[in-house]
Amino acid sequence: MGNVLFTSDHHFGHKHIIDFESRPFSDVEQMNEFMIESWNSVVGKEDQVFHLGDFSFLNKEATKAILARLNGYKILIMGNHDRGRGRDWWLDAGFGEVSAYPLIYKDFFILSHEPMYMNKHMPFVNVHGHIHGQKYEGNSYFNICVEHWDYKPLTFEEIRAAVVPSEEG
């Protein structure tokens, strides 16, 4: 097995997200192609990608075509814009696994679409999407939305290094 990566909020096919989030694209086709190329530039065929919601606004056929072009084994944690379609819709479109609920990864990272309530005494980090260009303060949250990461998924090691204090030194 290869790397484990994380990403969220691609909004494939959603033309209004370009204006809503000041994405640097002239149209939805340019945005979709750039995001596919960005994904495949860091995700290999043997990698696993957790997508933390709001994947596509396109119909099933177009969504399936995009998923087929993206490298890796893809797991969806459904976002607010995904929940109108059931788990079976997303599985049929090409995700290997689909969850309607947050997941705990490596006993420490809570993977969710929307940020969850966290305080400094909780021994977890919430890796989330949903809030696009915004960020919550502190090391209890990690916003994985594509706008922050040049539309590329990040590896687990990159996220861990950003939120877990080094024991060296």
Side-chain angles (χ1 to χ4, degrees):
M1 183 161 130
N3 292 319
V4 176
L5 299 97
F6 301 85
T7 189
S8 78
D9 292 276
H10 281 79
H11 288 245
F12 282 107
H14 185 197
K15 67 180 181 178
H16 297 298
I17 199 70
I18 295 170
D19 289 330
F20 294 162
E21 293 300 327
S22 301
R23 290 186 174 185
F25 307 110
S26 58
D27 58 41
V28 74
E29 290 78 17
Q30 180 192 32
M31 176 181 75
N32 289 351
E33 287 303 313
F34 183 85
M35 292 192 303
I36 292 167
E37 290 172 18
S38 295
W39 177 299
N40 289 335
S41 74
V42 297
V43 177
K45 299 283 186 194
E46 301 301 314
D47 292 340
Q48 183 178 68
V49 181
F50 285 90
H51 194 284
L52 305 188
D54 290 359
F55 182 78
S56 174
F57 280 54
L58 299 166
N59 65 31
K60 190 187 292 184
E61 183 178 303
T63 299
K64 190 180 278 195
I66 287 174
L67 280 162
R69 292 178 60 195
L70 296 174
N71 290 340
Y73 178 80
K74 296 162 280 293
I75 300 167
L76 176 66
I77 297 173
M78 293 167 64
N80 57 301
H81 292 292
D82 305 323
R83 293 183 190 120
R85 301 164 170 173
R87 283 183 69 253
D88 289 341
W89 192 98
W90 292 105
L91 289 166
D92 190 49
F95 279 96
E97 298 173 41
V98 177
S99 177
Y101 305 101
L103 301 174
I104 297 178
Y105 184 76
K106 296 209 178 268
D107 299 323
F108 185 72
F109 296 87
I110 301 174
L111 310 178
S112 64
H113 178 63
E114 292 94 351
M116 299 178 69
Y117 170 76
M118 305 292 289
N119 70 44
K120 65 183 179 179
H121 304 292
M122 296 172 82
F124 302 104
V125 171
N126 181 205
V127 181
H128 65 85
H130 187 63
I131 60 173
H132 293 272
Q134 302 172 49
K135 275 195 175 180
Y136 287 172
E137 295 295 320
N139 285 342
S140 294
Y141 294 96
F142 193 92
N143 184 347
I144 197 67
C145 288
V146 294
E147 288 88 1
H148 290 284
W149 310 109
D150 197 28
Y151 303 89
K152 295 176 183 173
L154 293 185
T155 66
F156 173 69
E157 290 76 18
E158 290 171 309
I159 295 170
R160 185 179 60 207
V163 297
V164 177
S166 172
E167 295 180 4
E168 296 177 5

PDB file of all heavy atoms in Angstrom, residues 71-83:
ATOM      1  N   ASN A  71      -6.267   9.200  -9.423  1.00  0.00           N
ATOM      2  CA  ASN A  71      -5.474   8.103  -8.875  1.00  0.00           C
ATOM      3  C   ASN A  71      -5.915   7.760  -7.460  1.00  0.00           C
ATOM      4  O   ASN A  71      -6.449   8.599  -6.735  1.00  0.00           O
ATOM      5  CB  ASN A  71      -3.986   8.482  -8.838  1.00  0.00           C
ATOM      6  CG  ASN A  71      -3.367   8.575 -10.211  1.00  0.00           C
ATOM      7  OD1 ASN A  71      -3.883   8.026 -11.179  1.00  0.00           O
ATOM      8  ND2 ASN A  71      -2.249   9.271 -10.300  1.00  0.00           N
ATOM      9  N   GLY A  72      -5.627   6.524  -7.062  1.00  0.00           N
ATOM     10  CA  GLY A  72      -5.801   6.098  -5.686  1.00  0.00           C
ATOM     11  C   GLY A  72      -7.139   5.457  -5.388  1.00  0.00           C
ATOM     12  O   GLY A  72      -8.085   5.503  -6.182  1.00  0.00           O
ATOM     13  N   TYR A  73      -7.168   4.836  -4.214  1.00  0.00           N
ATOM     14  CA  TYR A  73      -8.387   4.265  -3.650  1.00  0.00           C
ATOM     15  C   TYR A  73      -9.055   5.372  -2.851  1.00  0.00           C
ATOM     16  O   TYR A  73      -8.450   5.944  -1.938  1.00  0.00           O
ATOM     17  CB  TYR A  73      -8.035   3.080  -2.738  1.00  0.00           C
ATOM     18  CG  TYR A  73      -9.220   2.444  -2.077  1.00  0.00           C
ATOM     19  CD1 TYR A  73     -10.027   1.544  -2.771  1.00  0.00           C
ATOM     20  CD2 TYR A  73      -9.529   2.731  -0.749  1.00  0.00           C
ATOM     21  CE1 TYR A  73     -11.120   0.947  -2.151  1.00  0.00           C
ATOM     22  CE2 TYR A  73     -10.614   2.138  -0.119  1.00  0.00           C
ATOM     23  CZ  TYR A  73     -11.406   1.255  -0.827  1.00  0.00           C
ATOM     24  OH  TYR A  73     -12.483   0.664  -0.206  1.00  0.00           O
ATOM     25  N   LYS A  74     -10.298   5.704  -3.181  1.00  0.00           N
ATOM     26  CA  LYS A  74     -10.942   6.900  -2.656  1.00  0.00           C
ATOM     27  C   LYS A  74     -12.039   6.564  -1.642  1.00  0.00           C
ATOM     28  O   LYS A  74     -12.905   5.739  -1.915  1.00  0.00           O
ATOM     29  CB  LYS A  74     -11.494   7.721  -3.823  1.00  0.00           C
ATOM     30  CG  LYS A  74     -10.365   8.224  -4.740  1.00  0.00           C
ATOM     31  CD  LYS A  74     -10.821   8.661  -6.101  1.00  0.00           C
ATOM     32  CE  LYS A  74     -11.065   7.587  -7.105  1.00  0.00           C
ATOM     33  NZ  LYS A  74      -9.918   6.821  -7.579  1.00  0.00           N
ATOM     34  N   ILE A  75     -11.947   7.242  -0.491  1.00  0.00           N
ATOM     35  CA  ILE A  75     -12.916   7.090   0.594  1.00  0.00           C
ATOM     36  C   ILE A  75     -13.587   8.447   0.800  1.00  0.00           C
ATOM     37  O   ILE A  75     -12.899   9.456   0.966  1.00  0.00           O
ATOM     38  CB  ILE A  75     -12.218   6.647   1.896  1.00  0.00           C
ATOM     39  CG1 ILE A  75     -11.523   5.305   1.690  1.00  0.00           C
ATOM     40  CG2 ILE A  75     -13.218   6.593   3.058  1.00  0.00           C
ATOM     41  CD1 ILE A  75     -10.556   4.942   2.793  1.00  0.00           C
ATOM     42  N   LEU A  76     -14.902   8.475   0.797  1.00  0.00           N
ATOM     43  CA  LEU A  76     -15.647   9.724   0.977  1.00  0.00           C
ATOM     44  C   LEU A  76     -16.284   9.770   2.359  1.00  0.00           C
ATOM     45  O   LEU A  76     -16.976   8.837   2.765  1.00  0.00           O
ATOM     46  CB  LEU A  76     -16.757   9.843  -0.079  1.00  0.00           C
ATOM     47  CG  LEU A  76     -17.687  11.055   0.049  1.00  0.00           C
ATOM     48  CD1 LEU A  76     -16.928  12.361  -0.186  1.00  0.00           C
ATOM     49  CD2 LEU A  76     -18.857  10.929  -0.920  1.00  0.00           C
ATOM     50  N   ILE A  77     -16.022  10.852   3.063  1.00  0.00           N
ATOM     51  CA  ILE A  77     -16.810  11.217   4.239  1.00  0.00           C
ATOM     52  C   ILE A  77     -17.756  12.304   3.743  1.00  0.00           C
ATOM     53  O   ILE A  77     -17.310  13.382   3.346  1.00  0.00           O
ATOM     54  CB  ILE A  77     -15.920  11.697   5.398  1.00  0.00           C
ATOM     55  CG1 ILE A  77     -15.015  10.548   5.849  1.00  0.00           C
ATOM     56  CG2 ILE A  77     -16.781  12.222   6.542  1.00  0.00           C
ATOM     57  CD1 ILE A  77     -13.988  10.932   6.871  1.00  0.00           C
ATOM     58  N   MET A  78     -19.015  11.993   3.716  1.00  0.00           N
ATOM     59  CA  MET A  78     -19.977  12.860   3.048  1.00  0.00           C
ATOM     60  C   MET A  78     -20.054  14.250   3.678  1.00  0.00           C
ATOM     61  O   MET A  78     -20.090  14.392   4.895  1.00  0.00           O
ATOM     62  CB  MET A  78     -21.359  12.200   3.040  1.00  0.00           C
ATOM     63  CG  MET A  78     -21.394  10.947   2.183  1.00  0.00           C
ATOM     64  SD  MET A  78     -22.863   9.917   2.410  1.00  0.00           S
ATOM     65  CE  MET A  78     -24.131  11.005   1.827  1.00  0.00           C
ATOM     66  N   GLY A  79     -20.077  15.263   2.807  1.00  0.00           N
ATOM     67  CA  GLY A  79     -20.243  16.644   3.226  1.00  0.00           C
ATOM     68  C   GLY A  79     -21.685  17.088   3.077  1.00  0.00           C
ATOM     69  O   GLY A  79     -22.540  16.336   2.592  1.00  0.00           O
ATOM     70  N   ASN A  80     -21.951  18.320   3.461  1.00  0.00           N
ATOM     71  CA  ASN A  80     -23.321  18.828   3.406  1.00  0.00           C
ATOM     72  C   ASN A  80     -23.890  18.804   1.992  1.00  0.00           C
ATOM     73  O   ASN A  80     -25.081  18.571   1.805  1.00  0.00           O
ATOM     74  CB  ASN A  80     -23.424  20.234   4.022  1.00  0.00           C
ATOM     75  CG  ASN A  80     -22.507  21.234   3.378  1.00  0.00           C
ATOM     76  OD1 ASN A  80     -21.284  21.052   3.359  1.00  0.00           O
ATOM     77  ND2 ASN A  80     -23.059  22.313   2.864  1.00  0.00           N
ATOM     78  N   HIS A  81     -23.061  18.995   0.967  1.00  0.00           N
ATOM     79  CA  HIS A  81     -23.554  18.958  -0.410  1.00  0.00           C
ATOM     80  C   HIS A  81     -23.595  17.542  -0.984  1.00  0.00           C
ATOM     81  O   HIS A  81     -24.088  17.354  -2.099  1.00  0.00           O
ATOM     82  CB  HIS A  81     -22.710  19.860  -1.302  1.00  0.00           C
ATOM     83  CG  HIS A  81     -22.868  21.311  -0.999  1.00  0.00           C
ATOM     84  ND1 HIS A  81     -24.041  22.008  -1.234  1.00  0.00           N
ATOM     85  CD2 HIS A  81     -22.007  22.202  -0.455  1.00  0.00           C
ATOM     86  CE1 HIS A  81     -23.882  23.265  -0.859  1.00  0.00           C
ATOM     87  NE2 HIS A  81     -22.661  23.404  -0.380  1.00  0.00           N
ATOM     88  N   ASP A  82     -23.059  16.557  -0.270  1.00  0.00           N
ATOM     89  CA  ASP A  82     -23.075  15.168  -0.732  1.00  0.00           C
ATOM     90  C   ASP A  82     -24.267  14.393  -0.175  1.00  0.00           C
ATOM     91  O   ASP A  82     -24.653  13.368  -0.714  1.00  0.00           O
ATOM     92  CB  ASP A  82     -21.799  14.436  -0.300  1.00  0.00           C
ATOM     93  CG  ASP A  82     -20.536  15.126  -0.754  1.00  0.00           C
ATOM     94  OD1 ASP A  82     -20.527  15.674  -1.879  1.00  0.00           O
ATOM     95  OD2 ASP A  82     -19.555  15.131   0.019  1.00  0.00           O
ATOM     96  N   ARG A  83     -24.811  14.863   0.935  1.00  0.00           N
ATOM     97  CA  ARG A  83     -25.800  14.076   1.683  1.00  0.00           C
ATOM     98  C   ARG A  83     -27.148  13.961   0.990  1.00  0.00           C
ATOM     99  O   ARG A  83     -27.950  13.109   1.353  1.00  0.00           O
ATOM    100  CB  ARG A  83     -25.967  14.659   3.088  1.00  0.00           C
ATOM    101  CG  ARG A  83     -24.708  14.475   3.920  1.00  0.00           C
ATOM    102  CD  ARG A  83     -24.868  14.968   5.347  1.00  0.00           C
ATOM    103  NE  ARG A  83     -23.564  14.984   5.989  1.00  0.00           N
ATOM    104  CZ  ARG A  83     -22.988  16.072   6.481  1.00  0.00           C
ATOM    105  NH1 ARG A  83     -23.606  17.229   6.454  1.00  0.00           N
ATOM    106  NH2 ARG A  83     -21.785  15.999   7.022  1.00  0.00           N
TER     107      ARG A  83
END
